[in-house]
Amino acid sequence: VVHRITLLASALLVCVGVADGWAQQRTITGRVTNALSGGPVAGATVSIVGTATVAATNDRGEFTVSAPAGSVTVAVRAIGYKRGQASVAAGQSSVNFALEQDVFNLEAIVVSGQATGIERRNAPNAVATVSGAELARVAAPSVEIMLAGRVPGAIIQTNSGAPGGGVQVALRGTTSVFGAATPLYVVDGVIVSDVAIANNQEVISASNKGSNPSPLQQDQINRVADLNPDDIADVEILKGASASAIYGSKASNGVVVITTHRGQLGAPRFSIRQRFGVFDLAHELGSRVFKDSNEAVAAFGAAAAAFFRNNSTNPNWGQPDFVPGQAFDHEKELSGGHNLSTETALNVSGGDANTRYYVGGLIKDDEGIELNTGYKRQSLRLNLDQHVSSRFNINFSSDLVHSRGARGLNNNDNNGVSYYMALQFIPSFLDLRQKPDSSWGSTLSPINFIQSNPLQTATLMINDEDVWRYLGGVQATYELYNAERHNVRLIGNGGADWFGQKNTLYFPPELQFMPVIQPGKPGASLLTNGDNLNTNYNLNLVHTYRPGRLVATTSAGFQEEDYDLNIGRIVSKNLPPGLSNVNAGTDVSVNQRRESVRDFGFYGQEELLLRDERLLLTFGARADRSSNNGDQHKYYWYPKAAASYRLLSPLGGVEEAKLRVAFGQTGNRPNYGQRFTEGDATQGIGGLPGLIVPGIAGSPDIKPERQTEVEGGVDAILWGGRGTLELTLYQKSVSDLLLPHTLAPSTGFTSQFLNGGKLRNRGIELALGYAPLNRPDFQWVSRASFWMNRSRVMELPGGDTTGFRVGGFGCSDGCFFLKPGQSATAIFGNKGLDQNGLCCVLGKIGDASPDFKLAWTNEVTHGAWNFSMLWDLQHGANVINLTKLLYDLGQVTQDYANPLSAAEATARGCPGVPVLGACRLTQYGLYTGTYTERASYLKMREVTLTWTLPPGVVGHLWAGARDVRLSLSGRNLIVITPYTGMDPEVSNFGNQPVQRNIDVAPYPRSRSFWFTISAGF
Amino acid sequence: MTNATRLALLAAVVTAAACNFDILNPNAPEQIGPNPSRPRVAAAATGLLIAARADQTAWVLKVAIMGREGYRFDTAEPRYVSELISGPLDPGSGFGGGQWATQFQAIKSAYNLLNVIGTASALSTAEQSAVRGFAHTMIAYSFMTVLEAHTEDSIPIDVNRTLDQALAPFVTNVVAYAHVATLLDSGQTELTAGGSAFPFDLGTGFAGFDQPSTFLAFNRALMARLQAYRASPQIGCTTCWDSVLTAITAAAPAFGADTSVALDNGVYFTYSATLPGDVANGLFQDPTSAIQVVHHFVTDSVEKKADSTLDNRYLAKVTPRGSSISSGNGLASDKSWIRYPTPSSPVPIIRNEELILLRAEANLGKGNNAQAATDINAIRVKSGGLPAIATLAGAGAPAILSQLFKQRFYSLLYEGHRWVDLRRYNRMGTLQPDRLGDVFFTTLPIPNNEVLARK
């Protein structure tokens, strides 16, 4: 096959030869302005149609472009504006353009292949586009959460409230069960890693020692969080196989194509922005207040009375503000931080006709609400575009990022050490604070509530994540041939994404829980070094043929990607006080894990624009192989085909309507290592190393999951461009699912991953845009979108109809259970005793996927004032609230002691139980629904008010300034939800295709307020 | 055109570079393959010891609980007192469904080695034969644990298969016992042809049994136990008693099979809390805070020595706990185990004392009551410090059997025998339950996953 590509490339080259460019004989000058305001449009691209000649406008909107003699057509494009075009007669030397704003991105170019794009008006898929300006409006921990509410069809939710990110992006439903969960991220043509490396806190928290051994219960950050949102020019999101087929076997969760800012022609333009902000605990769980010692004694035994005595036998005695029986707000003490957060962004752009540059820098310091938590990031990007010759362009991108996160100790835990896990068992009458004599409130004596004092843990512990990352890429475009009808370009992309992640965890021997969880070996120091390198390149040949009646774009290319991950972990226990080096402990263990993957694919694609650019036909195919497949040498084919047709003025008020339909397939390659039967060589006997067979058998025939998507829809431009409508229906089927298969143990193995089963998603996306007002002094743009998805397990391997548990903890706590006919994200649990009076009937009690989502954005500009907000609504998902269960077990839930009347108790199924919390506990195990709650929400994710200083004022203050803006903004200021936990956006297991929405002592949700000054000069 | 040619060449080069897709797994070695090197054979052979040891302490504890030698009062895991004492045994749990997957995993490891050992050109024919004899013996040992735990007639024996082959069919226990005897005999033949040394190190647990000629004694000792199990009333192969005596005679040079040799002489699994990759002996616990404690039956029937102190074996294995510990639902104990006094105490696989008791059992089975009584009395005196019972030889078979049972109880206490012994002599019913509803199981169920995979 390789030979075939080379031959194809050579053949094309032979056929077309190389033509000379045209002699350039005159210059055309002019000015480009905003049709509404009359202001200059800087950075617009001016081109002579039919030639490769381009120029850009300067700050004043002026341009100068070379043109051949004779009559020519000059075209102008600028981001955010509709295109302009004008004929320039032979003797005419200047032309001006007044461009209309393109508020709904109707004329944007969207991705249609590895190296091709297509105008939105022809696009056969509902590709979501979000501009960088929208993204950067309100500060956020990481870039993905900025997309929430802006992409119809996407469920974007944070896994916890921790600073620094950890966000799941799920596009159009459930696309796998055990395969990769995250979309493919492509930045300037380079695939970037979104891997999440856990910090190894499970050594201390034993989070993997319960009924779910997943190592991903450590609030890990998925590394796309390293990207600087300010560098982003736009984000395009391919939501399913019909759009992403050309990306092949890593694209089944969709593709997020990110383009960063490039340099603009002209003198250096500086933009600087300074933000000051503060995070604030958004929702307190609260804790039961014990009104007197009797209530405390009833709950915790006679020893609890001591906390209500007014003498030195009270364990709280010794605090200057001592009050017997006082209720403390442990949550505020732990998560009440209000330290100042800052963000400084500076970018410079400029260049001449041959060389352009963009430099973007960011220094960010988010202070977390939990004690000693926060996230710092510094990044420096350099994008350089070099015009080598009229035919040869090189674009170079480079991004250096450093981040440092401190995320505390949160999420599931089996040792009673993570903060909220401990608070679940600590009553409010116990003073946790450090006393003047430097001792801490004990949670062990006189009553053994729980091993750890979370305030002491948060004060003394270290859990730092330090990441250095370099993203670099080169894109080279060589025009092999250019004539009136033919254009042949060779486009090569190559790049590397390297990061080193270092996790330093230190638990000093002074911590109260240390002697309990590590008897005889107090103190622990954990060091994890992760090293990740992705390299990839692709080479594409694009031929555009314009005979006049049609435009045919033929592209073909190939791509290789290599991925290497190397994680080394050191665990050192029994440390002397004050020493955290891992060699200081007496009990040291080490572990190394490596992954190495190589993928190769090639593709071909044809796009035909016919009938006056009204009809688009596209077809293509990609073939991929991967070292993760059982047969590394086998190619898997993924075809695609699509069509769209534009109807001009089909109805009154409808300027243009497009009907579109698209089909495509992609894969989701097996996870690393599934093909190997890994001999277990980690064990020894008497100092002798041994090799034994492992429990999990390798799968020599493992192959990618295959997704088939069909989408169709209508896009309409209404009322002269003031309104838009985008309606999409889709069906996504995933077959050959990667599923664990239980083996007869007499084979010597217990399980094996095999392909099998099938699931389906069907959904609707509706996006509306409307600009009710579009006057020079008053503009209002409003967008609303609605989307819903229904997934369904169609079949399981071997005709299994009973299904099996695929995630969560035990089903009595609420588990994810795959069963034909049910939603793929169905939550199962106990529904009471069966007909024989035995525990229990297992059935569906909820779903992690919402019934529907609604988002609404508004932007109003009035003179110097601009106001925008983004509302995001989710209806109908469920969260398994184990945090609440644990609070109940600890008898400290805020509403635990709420009295129940006899009638209420009977109605709740707990006759005779006097208080609410105890009543819930009687249901635990029998009725899992008791702790599975609705996760509907309405969030005001973003709100911003901006004032642009009048030019006169600016001139007075700072002669060089172009503009100065002041703004006030907030994130998540309003959240309305019936969910009683911290945040309905939660995932104890991080990014997961299925087992999300499990709430186990997460980092609490915050809201943030920001004041921003930005200036350009 | 030169540019184009260059580009085409470049394209060819980079794609050629992409052709290497044979990425191996850097994290773990592949399973042993054809023509294994000497170190690979050694690692695989040591792996068999590790795999066979994997379930040993859990099995000893389970036998102790089901045979009422002891309890484990674990607040985090109530199934030690619920499932194992009052049932029902859950074939889906690691309790009721145990003594299966781990053993078949060990057997699989052994077959992986056996399947390629003939191609190991680095080893001499004698060495290959020694490895075969070792592997067959270890397979037999793992099968014996499965058979000790399961008396349902549903044992797969022909398990040297790949995953794409049909599952090994179930056979009856009688067939399975005969199969294990065949495995041991194959091992015997191969060890005899195995030269003077193994091409690997067996570690300190096999000290004295670490050459093919001495390991052969271990093979025969297992044969003695196997044949005694076949001969005992539950299966009732009366001709097998002779095989017990033959095997003991063959094992004698290394074990002694004699009271003149130390009774602890034998083969052990070793443990270590400090050596890399090793595991600590889970049967060790600090006796003052132990949750693995001693059943009152052990204290109830213990005899006193002439000086009024208790049986030496009891004193060596049991100690007061300091304070009583209870299950919270009717079970309690104030005695802890000191049978394994450190985390690195070895656990016996088979030792001289058991061989002597097996010889007594076989002689009793054959009607040689006097010889049986001699061995039983020897154990009473030598191991327990108790006086010999002069009248035992003439006391009749039932009385001798009872005495044999008692000596096996104390000699092999907390070593994984009691429950098996009670069952093979159909004596489970002689025990008194501690609580209403407590159950004495005679077998573990076949694990769910094994049953479901065959549906």
Side-chain angles (χ1 to χ4, degrees):
Chain A
V1 177
V2 166
H3 295 292
R4 237 178 283 155
I5 291 178
T6 320
L7 281 174
L8 176 71
S10 320
L12 275 167
L13 296 169
V14 172
C15 294
V16 296
V18 178
D20 289 346
W22 290 323
Q24 281 156 6
Q25 296 169 345
R26 62 169 176 149
T27 58
I28 297 172
T29 59
R31 186 158 184 263
V32 181
T33 53
N34 179 329
L36 199 60
S37 68
V41 176
T45 307
V46 181
S47 60
I48 308 295
V49 175
T51 75
T53 311
V54 288
T57 58
N58 62 16
D59 272 359
R60 294 180 298 280
E62 296 159 355
F63 66 88
T64 304
V65 63
S66 305
S71 176
V72 295
T73 303
V74 178
V76 180
R77 302 197 63 132
I79 291 170
Y81 292 90
K82 295 184 180 177
R83 87 192 71 192
Q85 195 160 314
S87 286
V88 180
Q92 192 182 341
S93 66
S94 87
V95 61
N96 292 333
F97 295 88
L99 300 183
E100 283 182 51
Q101 275 183 293
D102 182 14
V103 289
F104 297 114
N105 276 325
L106 297 173
E107 296 196 350
I109 301 280
V110 298
V111 176
S112 68
Q114 284 259 0
T116 55
I118 192 162
E119 290 199 29
R120 176 170 286 280
R121 62 178 183 167
N122 294 115
N125 297 94
V127 175
T129 307
V130 183
S131 73
E134 283 177 87
L135 282 184
R137 211 166 260 156
V138 185
S142 69
V143 63
E144 317 99 288
I145 199 64
M146 294 170 157
L147 293 168
R150 294 202 157 94
V151 183
I155 307 286
I156 299 173
Q157 61 174 34
T158 54
N159 297 329
S160 79
V167 181
Q168 168 121 13
V169 178
L171 301 167
R172 284 188 180 167
T174 306
T175 47
S176 183
V177 181
F178 289 98
T182 55
L184 180 70
Y185 289 89
V186 179
V187 178
D188 294 330
V190 176
I191 295 171
V192 304
S193 172
D194 190 32
V195 68
I197 299 177
N199 60 21
N200 215 21
Q201 73 185 38
E202 67 185 13
V203 170
I204 298 301
S205 69
S207 56
N208 57 337
K209 295 291 194 290
S211 54
N212 189 320
S214 167
L216 295 176
Q217 304 182 59
Q218 309 179 43
D219 206 7
Q220 54 282 348
I221 297 179
N222 48 307
R223 290 258 66 94
V224 83
D226 294 326
L227 297 179
N228 175 7
D230 284 306
D231 288 337
I232 294 175
D234 65 63
V235 180
E236 290 168 66
I237 293 146
L238 313 181
K239 292 180 267 193
S242 62
S244 65
I246 228 68
Y247 283 91
S249 66
K250 289 184 289 294
S252 72
N253 298 313
V255 184
V256 178
V257 181
I258 295 172
T259 310
T260 61
H261 289 299
R262 312 303 306 186
Q264 298 292 341
L265 190 74
R269 293 160 62 91
F270 291 82
S271 297
I272 184 163
R273 193 191 63 216
Q274 177 64 48
R275 279 182 172 142
F276 300 98
V278 68
F279 289 84
D280 177 45
L281 176 60
H283 176 62
E284 261 195 86
L285 292 176
S287 183
R288 175 180 175 185
V289 174
F290 291 79
K291 58 183 185 296
D292 55 27
S293 65
N294 291 339
E295 190 182 338
V297 167
F300 303 108
F307 290 92
F308 294 80
R309 283 186 218 127
N310 193 6
N311 58 40
S312 64
T313 63
N314 188 321
N316 295 343
W317 185 266
Q319 290 287 12
D321 57 356
F322 173 77
V323 176
Q326 181 188 351
F328 295 91
D329 188 343
H330 300 318
E331 250 180 305
K332 264 274 157 54
E333 291 163 352
L334 176 69
S335 307
H338 283 127
N339 292 338
L340 182 69
S341 298
T342 58
E343 196 184 288
T344 309
L346 174 69
N347 65 60
V348 193
S349 163
D352 59 25
N354 290 325
T355 308
R356 294 182 211 173
Y357 59 87
Y358 166 86
V359 179
L362 179 83
I363 299 171
K364 181 181 176 69
D365 181 359
D366 282 352
E367 292 288 333
I369 53 173
E370 277 186 359
L371 278 174
N372 292 326
T373 60
Y375 177 73
K376 293 180 169 67
R377 185 171 67 219
Q378 303 93 42
S379 81
L380 183 64
R381 171 175 285 275
L382 169 63
N383 286 353
L384 201 59
D385 300 346
Q386 180 65 44
H387 197 58
V388 180
S389 74
S390 61
R391 291 184 176 165
F392 191 29
N393 283 299
I394 294 182
N395 302 333
F396 168 74
S397 310
S398 154
D399 192 11
L400 180 66
V401 186
H402 172 238
S403 72
R404 193 177 184 92
R407 288 158 75 90
L409 193 59
N410 294 286
N411 275 22
N412 185 33
D413 152 295
N414 287 303
N415 272 343
V417 299
S418 94
Y419 302 158
Y420 277 81
M421 203 58 124
L423 288 184
Q424 289 156 358
F425 293 93
I426 298 172
S428 56
F429 54 71
L430 169 61
D431 190 351
L432 293 173
R433 296 171 300 163
Q434 192 170 24
K435 293 177 188 168
D437 67 0
S438 86
S439 70
W440 291 81
S442 171
T443 61
L444 291 168
S445 165
I447 301 175
N448 187 357
F449 292 113
I450 188 97
Q451 283 88 312
S452 69
N453 174 337
L455 288 190
Q456 187 206 23
T457 311
T459 306
L460 301 180
M461 177 213 71
I462 293 170
N463 184 356
D464 278 356
E465 181 164 288
D466 200 307
V467 176
W468 280 96
R469 185 165 191 170
Y470 178 78
L471 291 161
V474 176
Q475 181 179 64
T477 307
Y478 186 73
E479 196 160 58
L480 292 169
Y481 182 78
N482 190 31
E484 198 177 345
R485 291 184 167 188
H486 291 279
N487 177 286
V488 181
R489 283 168 299 147
L490 193 62
I491 301 163
N493 262 306
D497 167 15
W498 172 84
F499 71 79
Q501 172 178 332
K502 182 164 71 180
N503 289 89
T504 315
L505 282 73
Y506 175 51
F507 299 88
E510 291 83 359
L511 287 171
Q512 184 196 287
F513 64 77
M514 262 298 150
V516 183
I517 70 161
Q518 284 175 210
K521 295 178 179 177
S525 186
L526 320 177
L527 181 63
T528 296
N529 273 300
D531 204 328
N532 181 96
L533 178 64
N534 277 38
T535 53
N536 63 89
Y537 67 83
N538 57 60
L539 198 59
N540 312 274
L541 195 62
V542 181
H543 172 218
T544 312
Y545 175 54
R546 297 171 183 270
R549 298 173 58 87
L550 63 86
V551 182
T553 308
T554 310
S555 52
F558 61 86
Q559 178 172 33
E560 180 183 322
E561 193 211 347
D562 284 277
Y563 160 72
D564 279 289
L565 178 68
N566 189 347
I567 303 174
R569 298 186 190 279
I570 305 175
V571 176
S572 175
K573 296 179 180 174
N574 201 13
L575 297 167
L579 207 53
S580 65
N581 279 8
V582 287
N583 60 339
T586 63
D587 179 357
V588 180
S589 62
V590 295
N591 177 275
Q592 184 182 17
R593 169 96 192 152
R594 287 181 282 174
E595 295 185 6
S596 181
V597 184
R598 171 164 287 177
D599 296 334
F600 181 79
F602 59 91
Y603 75 94
Q605 173 172 289
E606 182 68 40
E607 289 168 85
L608 295 171
L609 263 177
L610 304 161
R611 299 181 63 102
D612 244 0
E613 304 200 348
R614 287 166 66 182
L615 173 65
L616 171 86
L617 296 175
T618 296
F619 50 92
R622 171 156 175 148
D624 261 310
R625 64 174 177 163
S626 168
S627 65
N628 275 6
N629 295 336
D631 181 351
Q632 312 101 282
H633 302 284
K634 179 171 176 173
Y635 282 98
Y636 293 88
W637 286 90
Y638 303 105
K640 68 172 263 188
S644 73
Y645 190 76
R646 291 163 59 214
L647 299 164
L648 303 180
S649 303
L651 294 164
V654 180
E655 191 175 292
E656 186 174 324
K658 176 179 68 180
L659 305 174
R660 54 189 163 79
V661 60
F663 155 86
Q665 289 191 328
T666 54
N668 196 355
R669 65 177 189 203
N671 291 338
Y672 176 78
Q674 283 176 340
R675 74 182 169 99
F676 299 120
T677 300
E678 297 193 346
D680 180 355
T682 61
Q683 304 185 53
I685 182 166
L688 303 167
L691 177 66
I692 58 181
V693 300
I696 299 170
S699 307
D701 302 322
I702 201 93
K703 62 182 180 181
E705 296 179 342
R706 182 173 290 265
Q707 180 185 114
T708 306
E709 188 191 47
V710 180
E711 75 168 79
V714 184
D715 298 346
I717 302 171
L718 311 169
W719 308 301
R722 280 171 62 198
T724 62
L725 176 150
E726 204 175 277
L727 172 67
T728 307
L729 303 175
Y730 63 84
Q731 170 171 308
K732 237 182 198 186
S733 300
V734 188
S735 57
D736 293 332
L737 292 167
L738 297 161
L739 293 175
H741 173 68
T742 305
L743 297 170
S746 65
T747 57
F749 298 102
T750 53
S751 70
Q752 186 181 32
F753 264 87
L754 294 177
N755 294 94
K758 189 173 175 184
L759 61 83
R760 184 185 76 191
N761 292 273
R762 283 178 172 170
I764 300 174
E765 293 160 11
L766 175 65
L768 297 166
Y770 186 51
L773 288 169
N774 192 21
R775 301 203 309 252
D777 63 331
F778 208 125
Q779 293 132 45
W780 176 13
V781 180
S782 182
R783 289 183 179 88
S785 45
F786 164 89
W787 63 100
M788 57 191 283
N789 182 82
R790 293 288 179 272
S791 71
R792 188 180 162 99
V793 178
M794 303 305 288
E795 60 182 55
L796 291 175
D800 180 358
T801 53
T802 48
F804 51 93
R805 175 183 162 275
V806 293
F809 300 100
C811 287
S812 60
D813 290 337
C815 66
F816 288 89
F817 198 91
L818 221 53
K819 182 172 180 170
Q822 296 284 6
S823 156
T825 48
I827 299 170
F828 272 53
N830 289 340
K831 301 174 85 168
L833 300 179
D834 67 13
Q835 54 197 8
N836 301 320
L838 297 173
C839 179
C840 283
V841 178
L842 183 70
K844 184 177 173 184
I845 55 163
D847 198 316
S849 300
D851 294 336
F852 64 84
K853 293 220 43 155
L854 266 176
W856 188 42
T857 63
N858 275 288
E859 183 174 3
V860 179
T861 310
H862 176 53
W865 295 89
N866 176 285
F867 176 76
S868 70
M869 60 180 178
L870 164 56
W871 291 88
D872 185 10
L873 180 145
Q874 164 169 299
H875 183 267
N878 298 95
V879 168
I880 301 169
N881 190 352
L882 297 178
T883 309
K884 187 165 191 171
L885 165 65
L886 292 157
Y887 263 84
D888 274 352
L889 288 171
Q891 305 181 58
V892 299
T893 326
Q894 187 172 35
D895 62 2
Y896 188 92
N898 285 8
L900 283 181
S901 71
E904 281 171 328
T906 308
R908 286 175 173 273
C910 56
V913 178
V915 293
L916 185 58
C919 177
R920 279 194 298 258
L921 282 176
T922 64
Q923 311 288 299
Y924 170 58
L926 278 176
Y927 297 94
T928 309
T930 313
Y931 293 101
T932 303
E933 299 183 18
R934 295 287 271 183
S936 300
Y937 62 74
L938 173 63
K939 291 190 174 188
M940 187 168 77
R941 288 200 181 267
E942 298 180 5
V943 60
T944 307
L945 177 65
T946 305
W947 179 50
T948 305
L949 266 64
V953 176
V954 176
H956 270 293
L957 290 171
W958 182 3
R962 202 166 61 236
D963 53 47
V964 175
R965 293 192 182 95
L966 303 178
S967 72
L968 288 171
S969 56
R971 183 170 286 279
N972 293 336
L973 295 193
I974 300 173
V975 177
I976 301 166
T977 175
Y979 186 62
T980 63
M982 296 178 200
D983 192 345
E985 290 182 57
V986 65
S987 177
N988 179 62
F989 296 95
N991 289 356
Q992 292 285 345
V994 168
Q995 59 165 342
R996 308 190 283 260
N997 290 23
I998 299 179
D999 183 329
V1000 194
Y1003 192 107
R1005 155 162 62 97
S1006 59
R1007 57 190 160 202
S1008 56
F1009 304 88
W1010 300 91
F1011 170 66
T1012 307
I1013 309 172
S1014 50
F1017 55 92
Chain B
M1 276 323 302
T2 50
N3 276 352
T5 316
R6 269 185 219 136
L7 279 165
L9 269 171
L10 178 71
V13 167
V14 289
T15 47
C19 284
N20 177 20
F21 267 67
D22 297 316
I23 290 175
L24 299 177
N25 184 8
N27 295 302
E30 306 245 323
Q31 296 185 85
I32 190 164
N35 194 13
S37 64
R38 190 170 273 270
R40 273 202 162 247
V41 170
T46 306
L48 302 192
L49 295 177
I50 296 166
R53 182 186 63 171
D55 207 25
Q56 190 72 14
T57 54
W59 174 231
V60 169
L61 180 64
K62 193 187 267 185
V63 167
I65 294 170
M66 294 196 301
R68 302 304 192 270
E69 292 176 323
Y71 302 112
R72 179 181 163 101
F73 297 140
D74 185 345
T75 49
E77 185 46 272
R79 288 181 288 183
Y80 284 106
V81 288
S82 58
E83 188 174 334
L84 288 182
I85 296 180
S86 47
L89 289 172
D90 174 5
S93 80
F95 292 88
Q99 280 66 55
W100 191 275
T102 318
Q103 281 68 25
F104 282 107
Q105 191 177 356
I107 292 166
K108 180 79 184 173
S109 290
Y111 277 121
N112 278 353
L113 174 58
L114 277 173
N115 292 343
V116 299
I117 191 66
T119 64
S121 54
L123 271 63
S124 69
T125 314
E127 284 173 325
Q128 290 179 6
S129 185
V131 171
R132 283 198 190 90
F134 168 74
H136 276 130
T137 308
M138 295 312 293
I139 291 172
Y141 179 71
S142 291
F143 268 122
M144 283 171 73
T145 308
V146 174
L147 287 168
E148 285 168 22
H150 298 87
T151 58
E152 289 183 39
D153 284 337
S154 306
I155 310 295
I157 54 172
D158 182 18
V159 293
N160 186 15
R161 295 166 180 235
T162 56
L163 284 177
D164 45 15
Q165 289 177 287
L167 293 172
F170 283 148
V171 300
T172 64
N173 269 33
V174 171
V175 174
Y177 269 107
H179 175 71
V180 178
T182 314
L183 287 169
L184 286 170
D185 283 340
S186 307
Q188 180 186 30
T189 312
E190 289 151 354
L191 288 164
T192 309
S196 59
F198 283 114
F200 56 90
D201 191 344
L202 280 98
T204 55
F206 283 74
F209 298 87
D210 50 6
Q211 293 168 4
S213 59
T214 50
F215 190 85
L216 182 60
F218 169 58
N219 173 294
R220 290 296 95 189
L222 288 182
M223 182 62 120
R225 181 193 284 172
L226 180 84
Q227 296 294 359
Y229 286 4
R230 292 175 83 186
S232 50
Q234 191 203 359
I235 296 180
C237 164
T238 47
T239 59
C240 293
W241 292 124
D242 286 320
S243 308
V244 177
L245 295 173
T246 313
I248 291 174
T249 309
F255 280 91
D258 190 340
T259 51
S260 65
V261 175
L263 296 174
D264 287 337
N265 196 24
V267 176
Y268 294 79
F269 284 125
T270 59
Y271 296 83
S272 169
T274 52
L275 288 170
D278 218 324
V279 293
N281 184 342
L283 298 172
F284 158 77
Q285 288 187 334
D286 178 348
T288 59
S289 60
I291 58 170
Q292 287 163 188
V293 289
V294 182
H295 196 281
H296 63 83
F297 284 169
V298 178
T299 311
D300 293 348
S301 58
V302 67
E303 280 184 58
K304 286 183 174 147
K305 296 194 294 263
D307 62 0
S308 301
T309 58
L310 296 177
D311 187 324
N312 285 340
R313 291 168 292 188
Y314 180 88
L315 293 176
K317 294 184 181 187
V318 177
T319 192
R321 189 179 179 273
S323 65
S324 178
I325 181 173
S326 91
S327 65
N329 55 8
L331 303 174
S333 171
D334 58 358
K335 302 282 193 297
S336 291
W337 295 109
I338 48 171
R339 169 66 186 86
Y340 304 100
T342 72
S344 48
S345 300
V347 174
I349 303 172
I350 194 161
R351 57 192 180 89
N352 190 19
E353 191 163 2
E354 186 186 347
L355 287 184
I356 295 165
L357 289 163
L358 286 172
R359 186 169 61 199
E361 190 179 340
N363 278 323
L364 184 61
K366 283 170 62 71
N368 304 331
N369 290 8
Q371 280 153 290
T374 307
D375 276 338
I376 291 168
N377 271 327
I379 292 295
R380 280 181 62 89
V381 173
K382 177 118 181 167
S383 189
L386 303 170
I389 303 172
T391 57
L392 190 60
I400 300 173
L401 185 62
S402 290
Q403 190 56 227
L404 173 71
F405 249 80
K406 189 160 188 179
Q407 298 318 312
R408 278 187 69 92
F409 185 20
Y410 287 98
S411 284
L412 306 177
L413 184 62
Y414 212 34
E415 294 177 15
H417 291 271
R418 175 73 168 160
W419 178 69
V420 181
D421 287 349
L422 289 166
R423 187 195 56 225
R424 64 194 176 93
Y425 279 89
N426 302 319
R427 286 186 165 218
M428 294 301 306
T430 63
L431 299 182
Q432 287 298 312
D434 292 309
R435 299 174 302 186
L436 196 66
D438 283 359
V439 181
F440 298 99
F441 303 105
T442 55
T443 183
L444 300 182
I446 306 298
N448 265 350
N449 289 343
E450 189 68 42
V451 177
L452 289 173
R454 291 163 188 273
K455 277 191 177 162

